[in-house]
Amino acid sequence: MALSVPGYSPSFKRPPETLRLRRKRGRSLGTASAPAEPSEPATRRAARAAGLPLRPFPAAGRGGGGGGGGPAGARRNPFARLDNRPRAAAEPLEGPPRGQQEAPGPFLDSNQENDLLWEEKVPERTALTELHQTPHISFSESDIPPSESTELPVDWSIKTRLLFTSSQPFTWADHLKAQEEAQGIIQHCRATEVTLPQSIQDPKLSAELRCAFQQSLIYWLHPALSWLPLFPRIGADRKMAGKTAPWLNDETLQHVLMSDWSVSFTSLYNLLKTKLCPYFYVCTYQFTILFRAAGLAGDDVITALISPTTRGIREAMKNEGIEFSLPLIKQNGHEKRKVSGTGLRHGEEQAVSDEDEEESFSWLEEMGVQDKIKKPDVLSIKLYPSIHEVQMDHRPESVVFVKGMNTFTLLNFLINCKSLIATTGPQAGLPPTLLSPVAFRGATMQMLKARSVNVKTQALSGYRDQFSLEITGPIMPHSLHSVTMLLQSSQNGSFSAGLYTHEPTAVFNICPPKDEVLDKEAVHEELANCGLHPKTLDHLCQTPILGKLSLRHVEMNDYIYNWRS
């Protein structure tokens, strides 16, 4: 039978009796000598001598027994740091209270949510922390002009939703007549230039405005499967789950779909090369590609931007002989660090690596089995990618820039690339989505969805009418510019808009180095038949200035734009 030890608590369910007696003895001593200061522990005296800020020593004012004593000071937490002193009542907080934090704009909530979803794919913890701390980083702050101007900066990202608000109604955009709808389609197919007055008195009676609005909503898509959402493709598995996919187990049907897609892709590139198509997008389940004709964005040759990329894709492109650059890596100085590194020359680095190799196998010699075990090849045990190449995968910094004849090599690479199409999941066997502002072989005409809503908003004098116009779908740069030009006339130069960006395409607003400055008049003459309005063409010829940002909020007052990115 075990002996009963005083102060012992079986299974440590209760504190030992000795600790209770020690606490009680300290309290009784403090009560007996209330005016006197309690003795300081040696650790507290040492901390005070070192100059560390300390909490006030707990006062011994706790009454005993019946609880008739006065309130005592809070006993210090023994697990707290010495400098963890309580905050004084008058001491201001480090940041604003949680309920009083600066609220973002009404249109930024979903954009921030998209940013977080987009950044969840970043594998590196440190890189993710940096992204959260600085969600939007441009090339340099000096490149961004003042937010007020008569023209918007060009935005090459694809928008998924536009929400316009105004004090004047948008009823003119609803319920187009059959003749107006047909006229808008004909104007789009014939690339008819429509010029509206600066201000329209009664937009609802303006058939010209309604036809032009119908014209601005048209885009071209391939493939076209009405029961499947074909944009966006990145992160669309959840939306496509459960949808009918007859090609999943039919290799013949998959081959037919890919063959038709290759014909459409080649047709688009030929239109781009002959400057009959200004630009187009290729949307895969892994990345998005923007092809631009020569003359747009200040480039004198055909260009292509791919984002996001992985080391595997970049290595495959290198193996195919495609020359490309990483504009953001060069801008951020990673290449300089890669070249200079730690300051070692190539020979010194080789010597260091050889020494490390010898040390790594020295334990075999100590065991005496170095001759019985074959050493692995040096090349097979070296990590091929550098650290920053791995960290930038799936991030905006991994954007790839291809130009000139390398875009044609990229075309052939994409047509023959087996990893372009998913092999598992809801998108398995489905070719990438092609988006274009003009018609091409195998394309289907599609319409952006538009609807107007009238709501009552609270004001100082009661309630006032607030009118809104919502446009959803793959909204390309030419559509954004065309719609804002129409609203400038219909809303008398006064409206605001929230722009929701497909985050993987925001990095398309970077500006790679230019070889020369182009002649705008020559560019306009060469791209006159590309199917865009002359003002829209002039807008897309601008040099991008947003960097990795994209337009998030636009407001027009008295025909002056005020925008935020």
Side-chain angles (χ1 to χ4, degrees):
M1 181 176 179
L3 297 176
S4 177
V5 181
Y8 174 73
S9 175
S11 301
F12 299 98
K13 294 181 180 178
R14 297 185 301 275
E17 195 67 27
T18 55
L19 293 180
R20 293 183 184 176
L21 294 175
R22 192 169 297 172
R23 289 200 193 104
K24 191 177 295 184
R25 189 181 303 114
R27 292 173 185 170
S28 61
L29 290 175
T31 307
S33 57
E37 287 292 332
S39 59
E40 270 192 334
T43 56
R44 186 175 179 86
R45 289 196 301 270
R48 188 184 297 278
L52 295 176
L54 301 177
R55 291 181 52 160
F57 199 80
R62 191 185 299 273
R75 185 171 60 87
R76 182 182 179 278
N77 182 5
F79 300 102
R81 295 183 303 175
L82 292 177
D83 58 346
N84 189 14
R85 51 199 175 93
R87 191 185 303 276
E91 184 177 350
L93 296 176
E94 294 179 359
R98 185 171 184 176
Q100 300 178 2
Q101 290 181 353
E102 183 179 356
F107 305 111
L108 297 181
D109 295 339
S110 64
N111 288 328
Q112 293 173 353
E113 183 179 354
N114 291 338
D115 290 343
L116 295 178
L117 292 175
W118 168 235
E119 291 166 356
E120 280 178 0
K121 300 180 180 180
V122 182
E124 288 72 29
R125 185 174 180 179
T126 56
L128 183 62
T129 306
E130 294 176 358
L131 286 178
H132 285 306
Q133 292 175 351
T134 58
H136 299 298
I137 304 174
S138 62
F139 275 144
S140 63
E141 296 181 359
S142 61
D143 292 338
I144 301 179
S147 59
E148 292 187 359
S149 62
T150 57
E151 289 290 337
L152 287 175
V154 60
D155 189 348
W156 286 101
S157 64
I158 304 178
K159 308 298 179 184
T160 57
R161 180 173 176 245
L162 302 178
L163 183 59
F164 296 95
T165 57
S166 176
S167 58
Q168 300 184 22
F170 292 96
T171 52
W172 55 268
D174 287 336
H175 308 297
L176 272 68
K177 299 178 182 179
Q179 184 179 359
E180 294 171 341
E181 182 177 350
Q183 184 65 30
I185 294 175
I186 292 298
Q187 289 178 183
H188 171 82
C189 294
R190 297 178 179 176
T192 305
E193 178 183 344
V194 179
T195 303
L196 298 175
Q198 186 178 15
S199 177
I200 300 176
Q201 298 300 326
D202 195 349
K204 195 171 183 180
L205 299 178
S206 176
E208 189 178 16
L209 171 65
R210 292 158 67 90
C211 293
F213 181 68
Q214 174 77 5
Q215 178 182 356
S216 65
L217 298 180
I218 296 176
Y219 67 97
W220 297 85
L221 174 77
H222 180 87
L225 305 172
S226 56
W227 69 93
L228 280 180
L230 294 175
F231 179 84
R233 296 292 296 272
I234 298 177
D237 288 353
R238 184 179 299 179
K239 294 182 179 180
M240 290 187 178
K243 304 290 185 179
T244 303
W247 55 83
L248 282 178
N249 300 319
D250 192 340
E251 294 184 0
T252 303
L253 185 53
Q254 291 182 13
H255 179 74
V256 171
L257 288 175
M258 193 60 193
S259 177
D260 291 344
W261 181 85
S262 302
V263 171
S264 299
F265 187 22
T266 306
S267 171
L268 259 179
Y269 185 84
N270 292 334
L271 290 172
L272 192 81
K273 188 176 180 181
T274 55
K275 299 185 178 180
L276 297 177
C277 173
Y279 66 91
F280 67 90
Y281 293 88
V282 181
C283 306
T284 74
Y285 77 104
Q286 287 182 315
F287 52 84
T288 306
I289 310 174
L290 167 62
F291 283 87
R292 290 188 296 222
L296 295 187
D299 293 303
D300 58 343
V301 293
I302 298 177
T303 59
L305 287 166
I306 311 174
S307 174
T309 63
T310 61
R311 184 178 61 88
I313 296 174
R314 296 190 294 270
E315 288 298 323
M317 292 172 61
K318 287 181 182 178
N319 295 335
E320 290 294 325
I322 302 174
E323 297 181 3
F324 62 87
S325 61
L326 300 169
L328 290 184
I329 298 301
K330 187 174 182 179
Q331 287 283 345
N332 292 337
H334 287 288
E335 286 186 354
K336 186 178 294 183
R337 288 198 296 269
K338 181 180 177 183
V339 173
S340 60
T342 57
L344 297 177
R345 298 178 181 176
H346 178 72
E348 296 176 358
E349 292 178 356
Q350 185 68 26
V352 172
S353 62
D354 294 341
E355 292 176 1
D356 294 339
E357 181 190 353
E358 293 177 359
E359 292 178 0
S360 62
F361 296 109
S362 60
W363 60 277
L364 295 175
E365 298 179 1
E366 295 176 359
M367 298 178 62
V369 294
Q370 69 275 12
D371 298 331
K372 299 180 181 180
I373 298 178
K374 182 181 179 181
K375 296 181 181 180
D377 186 13
V378 177
L379 296 177
S380 63
I381 63 174
K382 286 186 177 180
L383 295 177
Y384 180 76
S386 58
I387 296 176
H388 75 271
E389 284 185 350
V390 176
Q391 289 180 346
M392 70 181 181
D393 285 355
H394 301 290
R395 293 181 57 186
E397 287 78 8
S398 66
V399 61
V400 165
F401 179 66
V402 184
K403 64 178 182 177
M405 289 304 298
N406 289 287
T407 57
F408 181 73
T409 312
L410 177 64
L411 167 75
N412 295 325
F413 167 75
L414 294 174
I415 291 176
N416 299 316
C417 182
K418 294 182 179 180
S419 61
L420 197 67
I421 301 176
T423 56
T424 59
Q427 301 190 55
L430 186 62
T433 301
L434 300 176
L435 294 173
S436 171
V438 298
F440 58 95
R441 186 174 177 181
T444 304
M445 178 184 289
Q446 301 288 333
M447 298 285 299
L448 299 173
K449 297 180 180 179
R451 68 186 185 98
S452 63
V453 179
N454 303 337
V455 295
K456 295 282 187 180
T457 58
Q458 192 171 4
L460 296 177
S461 59
Y463 291 90
R464 63 184 179 88
D465 292 328
Q466 185 73 24
F467 305 99
S468 63
L469 174 66
E470 182 185 37
I471 301 177
T472 56
I475 304 163
M476 290 181 279
H478 76 283
S479 296
L480 174 62
H481 186 264
S482 300
V483 171
T484 53
M485 282 199 309
L486 295 179
L487 297 185
Q488 184 175 349
S489 300
S490 65
Q491 309 306 118
N492 295 326
S494 178
F495 65 88
S496 61
L499 290 73
Y500 299 78
T501 305
H502 180 47
E503 289 306 321
T505 63
V507 74
F508 290 159
N509 291 316
I510 63 173
C511 181
K514 310 297 180 185
D515 296 333
E516 59 181 351
V517 180
L518 302 181
D519 184 7
K520 290 186 177 180
E521 294 182 359
V523 170
H524 276 266
E525 185 177 353
E526 294 174 356
L527 293 170
N529 298 322
C530 69
L532 298 181
H533 192 280
K535 290 185 178 179
T536 303
L537 178 60
D538 183 59
H539 175 72
L540 297 180
C541 289
Q542 297 178 11
T543 302
I545 61 172
L546 294 176
K548 291 192 294 183
L549 308 182
S550 63
L551 293 178
R552 306 284 178 175
H553 182 73
V554 174
E555 186 173 356
M556 171 171 271
N557 288 318
D558 295 331
Y559 301 96
I560 300 296
Y561 282 110
N562 191 323
W563 52 270
R564 293 201 308 267
S565 57

